[in-house]
Every structure is written in structure tokens, then in C-alpha cells.
Amino acid sequence: EVQMVESGGGLVQPGGSLRLSCAASALAFSTHYMQWVRQAPGKGLVWVSRINPDGSSTTYADSVKGRFTISRDNAKNTLYLQMNSLRAEDSAVYYCATVTSGHWGQGTLVTVSS
Amino acid sequence: EIVMTQSPGTLSLSPGERATLSCRASQSVNGNYLAWYQQRPGQTPRLLISAASSRATGIPDRFSGSGSGTDFTLTISRLEPEDFAVYYCQQYGISLYTFGQGTKLEIK
């Protein structure tokens, strides 16, 4: 059974940084486009970033461009999201997911507050 | 960036009825790379449909997707109690992927 487990969320002050990780198992990880999606409490899904299978191409939502960096380590079957210059409006549950096969993690909560 | 607009915002129906949810893109979606997700309260999104009309593994055949270009539809032929949830469309045809704002399907 495919499992995707996010980690790295928590409480951080405005302007701070966090690095999220997403470890995949039982998945041909290196063949999948991967994405990060966030959801603030009671709100809808918002796409954050995506990366192609070999990591050579990345794209970002305008709201996070220049502050967040997506990357992957196919040898470790792990996806990352480095988040810098965090703002209150970045507070949300962050999900990692494959783009086309419908595999999602359970999410990790990021709270940006002083 | 492609803007995805879902309608209606809320749909009130009874079990056994047919549901039709709409998703409109601000420009044509490359390759009809359009997905539909279901999210029940407290749960992770569940992929229903990919590439506009391909049902995901394990999804009942009462769920169907159609459309192309800028206009897409999710149809649930006969509503079951577990179908009442929020539904999202997502385009992944152009590199800045985007979601619609969601349609809440509620019991009438």
C-alpha cells in the first residue's frame, strides 16, 4: 500500500523558516510529478508548487514564489518544501501529493504566529 | 495563471438524485488535464477523475467526468449518503496548476 508521510510542520514566527518533508513508500516515486497543496482551516485547496520526476523543473504559485523551494531526493523517495520568510497567511495544513495518481499524505500543520 | 471557477457554490440535493457540478477555466486546459477531487470533513482529498474523464482506481461508476477545453462537468448519477462532501476541480495542464474554489454538495 502506498504511503506518503509529511513531517516538519509546527509553530514558527513571522519571517521564520521551516522545511517540510514527505516520505513516500510503495510508490515508483521517481516517475511521478509531485506537488504541494495547502489548506487553511475551513478553506479550500490551494496549489503551492510542483516538481517534475527528475527535479529539473519546478513551478510555484505567485503567492510563494521567491520564498518557497520545492525539491526531491529520488534515492530517498522524499519530497521537500523549504519555506522562508513565512507570513501569517501561509498558515495551513500542507499536503504532498502525486499529480496524477491520487496519492496524498495526511498533511502537516504549519502555523505562523508571534 | 488559469483561474478555475466552480459552480454552483453549494448544491442541495437528496439521496438518489443526480448531481451535476461545473468547472470552467479562464483559458483552455492543455491536454484536458483536469482532475476532480472529493473531500469529506476531516479527510484528505480523494481523486475521483483525472484527464477530464478517466475514473480513478476504486471509484464507483456513478461518478463520471466530461468536457474539454474550458468547460468540464462532474456528474454523480445517483447520490449515496457518503457522496455529500466538497468537490474540487484542478487543472494540471499548464505548469502553474490551480484549483477551483470548491462546490459543497449538501443533503436537502
Side-chain angles (χ1 to χ4, degrees), chain A residues 35 39 44 47 59 104-106, chain B residues 37 39 44 88 90 95 97:
Chain A
Q35 62 182 339
Q39 187 171 36
W47 176 78
T59 54
W104 288 58
Q106 288 303 304
Chain B
Y37 290 91
Q39 189 176 32
T44 296
Y88 298 93
Q90 182 193 25
S95 59
Y97 302 166

Side-chain angles (χ1 to χ4, degrees), chain A:
Chain A
E1 180 187 355
V2 172
Q3 282 201 320
M4 297 172 65
V5 180
E6 300 96 336
S7 61
L11 175 64
V12 61
Q13 291 189 339
S17 298
L18 280 176
R19 188 194 197 202
L20 305 184
S21 299
C22 170
S25 58
L27 177 72
F29 181 77
S30 65
T31 68
H32 284 272
Y33 279 77
M34 298 296 297
Q35 62 182 339
W36 287 98
V37 176
R38 69 186 182 186
Q39 187 171 36
K43 303 297 185 181
L45 301 174
V46 175
W47 176 78
V48 173
S49 181
R50 75 90 172 136
I51 189 167
N52 71 339
D54 69 6
S56 62
S57 173
T58 60
T59 54
Y60 301 92
D62 289 345
S63 58
V64 306
K65 195 170 186 178
R67 301 187 299 123
F68 289 13
T69 302
I70 190 172
S71 62
R72 65 193 297 162
D73 185 335
N74 286 342
K76 295 182 178 179
N77 288 348
T78 302
L79 178 71
Y80 302 101
L81 186 68
Q82 177 67 44
M83 304 188 297
N84 297 332
S85 303
L86 282 161
R87 307 166 180 167
E89 55 265 34
D90 295 319
S91 297
V93 174
Y94 283 73
Y95 296 101
C96 67
T98 57
V99 171
T100 57
S101 67
H103 296 106
W104 288 58
Q106 288 303 304
T108 187
L109 178 63
V110 172
T111 303
V112 184
S113 175
S114 54

Side-chain angles (χ1 to χ4, degrees), chain B:
Chain B
E1 173 184 317
I2 296 180
V3 176
M4 308 300 291
T5 303
Q6 292 185 240
S7 61
T10 301
L11 184 59
S12 299
L13 294 170
S14 301
E17 290 192 295
R18 179 185 186 91
T20 303
L21 287 67
S22 175
C23 176
R24 177 164 288 177
S26 60
Q27 57 185 282
S28 185
V29 176
N30 282 358
N32 293 325
Y33 289 136
L34 189 286
W36 287 96
Y37 290 91
Q38 176 195 67
Q39 189 176 32
R40 297 171 177 147
Q43 295 189 14
T44 296
R46 173 193 184 199
L47 178 67
L48 301 173
I49 302 286
S50 62
S53 60
S54 296
R55 207 176 298 116
T57 302
I59 301 302
D61 61 7
R62 65 179 181 274
F63 291 91
S64 63
S66 62
S68 64
T70 61
D71 290 299
F72 300 89
T73 300
L74 175 70
T75 302
I76 311 171
S77 58
R78 285 173 47 89
L79 286 166
E80 298 286 342
E82 62 267 27
D83 298 338
F84 292 92
V86 180
Y87 292 83
Y88 298 93
C89 61
Q90 182 193 25
Q91 71 80 21
Y92 55 99
I94 293 180
S95 59
L96 271 66
Y97 302 166
T98 43
F99 284 93
Q101 81 280 16
T103 290
K104 182 179 181 181
L105 179 56
E106 66 177 23
I107 298 177
K108 187 173 181 179

